Amino acid sequence: MDRIALRGLRARGTHGALPEERALGQTFVVDLELSVDTRPAAESDDLSLTVHYGVLAQEVTAIISGEPCALIETLAQRIADRCLSFEPVREVEVTVHKPQAPIPVPFDDVTITIRRSRS
C-alpha cells in the first residue's frame, strides 16, 4: 500500500472532560496517514481514483470543530471512521494532538494515535 499523509491539520474544538474545556475551547492538531493503492489513479491521472486530500482536510477540521466529546480517543475514532469512508482508503493512522491540555506542569504536547483498517 502507498501512503498519503496530511500533517498539522488545525481547528478549534470544545472537546475535553472538564467544563472549562467545553466552554472555552482550544486548538487541536491532527496528523493522518492513509494507506491507499494509488496505482489506478497514477496510471489514469484521475483524481476520482484516489483520495481528494483537500476535501478530506475540510471534513476532518469540521469534525474537530463539530460535536464535542469528552475524550480525544473518541475524536480520533470519529476522524478514522470518516477517513475510512473514502473508498480507496484501506487503513488510516490518526494522531490527535492536544497541546493546550489543562495539565498543571510544563509539557509540550499530549497525543493519542490510533490505527484502524477496513474490516
Side-chain angles (χ1 to χ4, degrees), residues 10-29 63-70 72 75 97-102:
R10 286 178 172 69
R12 192 156 182 82
T14 54
H15 311 289
L18 302 176
E20 58 269 21
E21 292 180 287
R22 296 288 183 105
L24 300 174
Q26 59 191 291
T27 299
F28 293 84
V29 182
I63 292 168
I64 297 168
S65 61
E67 181 182 349
C69 51
I72 59 174
L75 180 60
H97 301 257
K98 190 175 179 180
Q100 299 165 329

Side-chain angles (χ1 to χ4, degrees), residues 6 9 47 51-61 86:
L6 286 85
L9 296 172
L47 177 61
V51 177
H52 191 309
Y53 47 80
V55 170
L56 179 60
Q58 289 176 320
E59 293 184 14
V60 168
T61 56
F86 283 74

Side-chain angles (χ1 to χ4, degrees), residues 22-56:
R22 296 288 183 105
L24 300 174
Q26 59 191 291
T27 299
F28 293 84
V29 182
V30 172
D31 301 324
L32 303 174
E33 273 204 31
L34 312 169
S35 294
V36 178
D37 182 358
T38 63
R39 288 176 294 190
E43 290 169 0
S44 64
D45 200 29
D46 185 349
L47 177 61
S48 71
L49 298 177
T50 188
V51 177
H52 191 309
Y53 47 80
V55 170
L56 179 60

Side-chain angles (χ1 to χ4, degrees), residues 24 30 41-42 54-55 67 70 77 108 110 113 115 118:
L24 300 174
V30 172
V55 170
E67 181 182 349
Q77 184 65 54
D108 289 329
V110 173
T113 299
R115 178 171 283 157
R118 290 185 183 273

